[in-house]
Amino acid sequence: MWQAALDGWSIWTWRNFFDRVHHDTLMSLAKRKVGDWVVLSLIDRYLKSGILEGGLTSARTEGTPQGGPLSPLLSNILLDELDKELEKRGHKFCRYADDANIYVATRTSGERVMVSITNYLSERLKLTVNQSKSAVDRPWKRSFLSYSMTWHRNPRLTVAKKAVARFKSKLKMVFRRGRGVNIKKTIEEAGPKIRGWINYFRYSELKGVFDELDGCLRRKLRCIIWRHWKLPRTREKNLVRRGLTKATAWKSSVNGRGP
């Protein structure tokens, strides 16, 4: 599949997907798969459950409840029609929930498929494609579930640049709060976030991203320790303990360039 993706791809994202699901379309598809009228009645009531805003309840005419445990399953019932349509057309594709990539051979093919599938989604499934996030481009210039790939003939999975930037931004807030607390507390707060991020991206085949992140984390922690030392004499003493000469340690302590 990755080989077929080298010459171009289309990435599709639905605008506010869970807010735009057409109830009648979804129920008609659910009836094909569910024969129990009690279950269908419960699904219908679930879809039409009211929206609480400002203490007032308003009727829901489209969409599924955000965060509801049933919403992902209902989305798959709806988008299963898209999967079958793409298979029928012979396209290679990946889909997870409301994110989907379609892999084609050329840019011209991608543009043609994009128009065709957009029309299918609009007319058949009553969904709106988010044009601002959809594009025809090379695979290594796009991301899917925060993963991307290299440009080589035999591409490898890697972490998307935007995912790295978002993660650094989250850690920045943790380290900013850590300036006035014990360094151990900062590490305890950042630890679960780091482990969760690394576990999610464990399928990445490039080590450089993690080496860069490791260096960034170490620099941030050193900056916090440096601020905790405060006085030049304290900094000099602690640098000497770590192996620097007194002259080098004093010069570093008063250089005026900050952490």
Side-chain angles (χ1 to χ4, degrees):
M1 180 180 62
W2 298 114
Q3 288 285 349
L6 285 176
D7 292 329
W9 75 356
S10 301
I11 179 169
W12 308 82
T13 308
W14 288 271
R15 183 184 292 117
N16 300 328
F17 173 79
F18 290 106
D19 293 334
R20 297 298 184 94
V21 171
H22 192 264
H23 288 177
D24 290 342
T25 303
L26 177 56
M27 287 305 300
S28 67
L29 294 172
K31 288 175 182 176
R32 297 181 187 177
K33 302 177 182 296
V34 180
D36 191 329
W37 68 269
V38 176
V39 175
L40 291 171
S41 177
L42 288 173
I43 293 174
D44 186 59
R45 290 170 61 184
Y46 172 80
L47 291 174
K48 294 177 180 178
S49 58
I51 304 171
L52 185 64
E53 293 180 335
L56 299 175
T57 303
S58 57
R60 186 192 303 273
T61 57
E62 64 177 2
T64 62
Q66 286 279 6
L70 195 59
S71 294
L73 176 60
L74 295 177
S75 72
N76 277 328
I77 290 176
L78 183 64
L79 294 176
D80 184 56
E81 294 299 302
L82 173 63
D83 296 345
K84 291 177 179 177
E85 179 67 18
L86 293 173
E87 289 174 355
K88 185 171 70 175
R89 298 186 185 191
H91 292 310
K92 291 181 172 62
F93 66 95
C94 289
R95 183 181 68 79
Y96 183 84
D98 59 331
D99 287 333
N101 288 348
I102 304 170
Y103 300 91
V104 294
T106 65
R107 174 173 288 275
T108 302
S109 300
E111 292 170 350
R112 184 180 66 251
V113 170
M114 188 171 186
V115 172
S116 174
I117 296 299
T118 298
N119 291 335
Y120 173 82
L121 291 170
S122 176
E123 296 171 5
R124 178 69 181 83
L125 302 181
K126 311 299 181 185
L127 292 174
T128 303
V129 173
N130 191 333
Q131 298 292 347
S132 64
K133 293 185 179 180
S134 301
V136 179
D137 209 340
R138 298 286 191 175
W140 53 88
K141 294 182 180 179
R142 306 292 295 186
S143 64
F144 182 60
L145 303 178
S146 296
Y147 275 92
S148 188
M149 63 176 72
T150 64
W151 55 270
H152 302 90
R153 183 63 184 171
N154 295 311
R156 292 185 291 172
L157 281 177
T158 184
V159 184
K161 292 181 179 179
K162 289 184 178 180
V164 176
R166 284 195 301 269
F167 184 59
K168 286 183 178 179
S169 179
K170 290 180 181 179
L171 289 179
K172 185 177 181 181
M173 300 301 296
V174 175
F175 293 133
R176 185 172 294 172
R177 291 194 297 270
R179 293 179 182 179
V181 300
N182 189 290
I183 189 70
K184 290 183 179 179
K185 291 185 178 179
T186 302
I187 294 173
E188 288 173 0
E189 183 179 355
K193 299 179 186 293
I194 296 169
R195 287 193 295 272
W197 194 85
I198 291 175
N199 284 333
Y200 180 81
F201 289 108
R202 65 185 182 275
Y203 299 109
S204 174
E205 298 174 275
L206 295 185
K207 184 183 175 184
V209 175
F210 300 98
D211 288 341
E212 178 191 351
L213 182 62
D214 180 68
C216 177
L217 292 172
R218 292 174 183 274
R219 285 193 299 274
K220 294 293 184 181
L221 291 172
R222 284 197 295 266
C223 287
I224 292 174
I225 293 172
W226 187 260
R227 288 190 173 94
H228 286 177
W229 287 344
K230 294 182 179 179
L231 300 176
R233 287 295 180 187
T234 305
R235 291 170 178 171
E236 178 198 23
K237 180 176 66 175
N238 284 301
L239 289 175
V240 169
R241 286 177 180 174
R242 284 159 177 77
L244 271 69
T245 63
K246 290 199 67 173
T248 303
W250 179 250
K251 186 176 180 181
S252 297
S253 299
V254 296
N255 62 24
R257 291 196 294 269

